[in-house]
Amino acid sequence: MVAETAVQPRQLVLPLFVREGLAEPYPISSMPGVVQHSRSSLLAAVSEAAELGLGGVMLFGIPDFKDATGSGAIDPSGVLNLAITDVVAEVGDALTVMSDLCVDEFTDHGHCGLLGNDGQVDNDKTLAVYAEMARAQAHAGVDMVGPSGMMDGQVRVVREALDSAEHTDVSILAYSAKYASAFFGPFREAVDSSLQGDRRTYQQDFANAREGVREARLDVAEGADIVMVKPALAYLDVVRAVREAVEVPVAAYNISGEYAMVEAAAAHGWIDREAAILETLTSIRRAGADVILTYWAAEAARLLR
């Protein structure tokens, strides 16, 4: 009766991976219970998400072919754009269909942007690709795009691209405070990452909280509808600070490494798995997140029932 914080299925978003050419789901070894989906198994997953009353799904595409510019990200026949159309046709308005707006899964070097002659990420050239990617995803039918590359000015460019293409109703979940984290490791297996080096030149220093708040405010000014902190558990202080600094909804991404740690400990019998899942998600809500992206979304919804 007096519990101060509650988690509801509508506040949870389920990230899903779809891989080009798969005939059946392929398990991700570092994330027990999570798979790379085929186009057909993806539809079963999103149908279940809708039935459970989740707030949305976030789609990530894994192509067969990668190149230096991530051309598959803007190809109307690319795996992610086809998956968006498939999912929208399957679930309609039953939940929010979101898509990752970044080229890292599509580039042969694995970075979130195009590289210049010096081997460094070229921020402005990357923004031009993000604009094309936003238009392609909107044309495919997406409800909300998630620019996640941490390029300066990415929200403004995406908003302008959507509006100029008359997709004013497509909203933006901005990856605003995304930190260069050690906890991303399992995700790189999930998307078959080709990353060379690291992303510390464009993702944030994990020591900096005020910078995360500043980035969130900048994204709101550029047109973000929701701002996000990623990762969640090691950055609950940033979630709280961002919640207090902005008036739009705040999301937090309970990322792959956070998921894998609980699953590994539970597999050894060291913790009560279901209790740990609910405690984890409640802690993120308690810190101030209105929306949580989590690989436990479907299971948590069943537990909450």
Side-chain angles (χ1 to χ4, degrees):
M1 184 179 68
V2 296
E4 297 175 6
T5 306
V7 180
Q8 300 180 43
R10 66 177 177 82
Q11 297 163 326
L12 304 177
V13 172
L14 178 63
L16 293 166
F17 306 102
V18 57
R19 181 162 193 158
E20 187 173 10
L22 281 186
E24 58 186 26
Y26 184 81
I28 300 166
S29 63
S30 57
M31 299 174 67
V34 182
V35 300
Q36 294 176 341
H37 281 284
S38 66
R39 285 179 66 185
S40 59
S41 70
L42 177 68
L43 298 186
V46 298
S47 294
E48 180 189 44
E51 291 169 3
L52 289 168
L54 298 186
V57 292
M58 173 63 79
L59 305 179
F60 295 87
I62 306 160
D64 278 342
F65 173 76
K66 302 180 183 183
D67 58 23
T69 61
S71 60
I74 60 176
D75 183 354
S77 299
V79 60
L80 181 54
N81 293 322
L82 290 177
I84 291 168
T85 301
D86 289 347
V87 169
V88 171
E90 182 73 14
V91 299
D93 295 328
L95 47 69
T96 305
V97 178
M98 311 176 185
S99 54
D100 182 55
L101 199 162
C102 190
V103 296
D104 59 324
E105 289 104 50
F106 298 90
T107 54
D108 55 14
H109 48 73
H111 279 285
C112 297
L114 276 59
L115 303 185
N117 293 332
D118 59 359
Q120 300 296 312
V121 171
D122 187 317
N123 190 95
D124 293 351
K125 286 184 179 179
T126 301
L127 293 182
V129 175
Y130 284 6
E132 289 188 65
M133 197 173 180
R135 288 189 288 265
Q137 293 183 357
H139 182 72
V142 79
D143 299 313
M144 181 179 291
V145 295
S148 62
M150 288 299 288
M151 299 295 117
D152 292 341
Q154 63 183 14
V155 173
R156 173 184 53 80
V157 165
V158 167
R159 184 71 270 160
E160 290 175 354
L162 291 170
D163 290 351
S164 66
E166 298 185 353
H167 290 296
T168 56
D169 55 341
V170 175
S171 50
I172 298 175
L173 166 60
Y175 286 58
S176 299
K178 184 178 180 181
Y179 288 85
S181 172
F183 295 103
F184 288 138
F187 179 87
R188 303 213 169 122
E189 178 192 355
V191 297
D192 194 23
S193 175
S194 303
L195 181 64
Q196 302 167 20
D198 59 56
R199 296 173 175 149
R200 289 182 295 173
T201 60
Y202 49 98
Q203 293 179 353
Q204 291 187 97
D205 185 339
F206 61 74
N208 294 357
R210 291 191 300 273
E211 183 183 16
V213 174
R214 185 165 67 250
E215 292 282 357
R217 284 174 168 157
L218 286 169
D219 283 353
V220 171
E222 291 181 11
D225 299 286
I226 303 175
V227 295
M228 184 156 69
V229 177
K230 182 181 181 181
L233 291 183
Y235 300 88
L236 293 178
D237 60 323
V238 181
V239 174
R240 169 54 60 187
V242 170
R243 174 64 286 161
E244 292 175 350
V246 302
E247 295 183 357
V248 301
V250 174
Y253 200 141
N254 176 213
I255 67 166
S256 60
E258 298 165 354
Y259 174 93
M261 288 191 299
V262 171
E263 293 291 340
H268 282 82
W270 295 336
I271 59 172
D272 180 334
R273 179 178 177 277
E274 292 184 355
I277 290 171
L278 294 180
E279 184 175 343
T280 295
L281 299 180
T282 301
S283 75
I284 300 169
R285 283 278 296 124
R286 191 183 65 242
D290 303 289
V291 177
I292 304 172
L293 282 74
T294 177
Y295 302 101
W296 287 308
E299 182 172 4
R302 288 191 290 269
L303 293 174
L304 291 167
R305 285 180 170 177

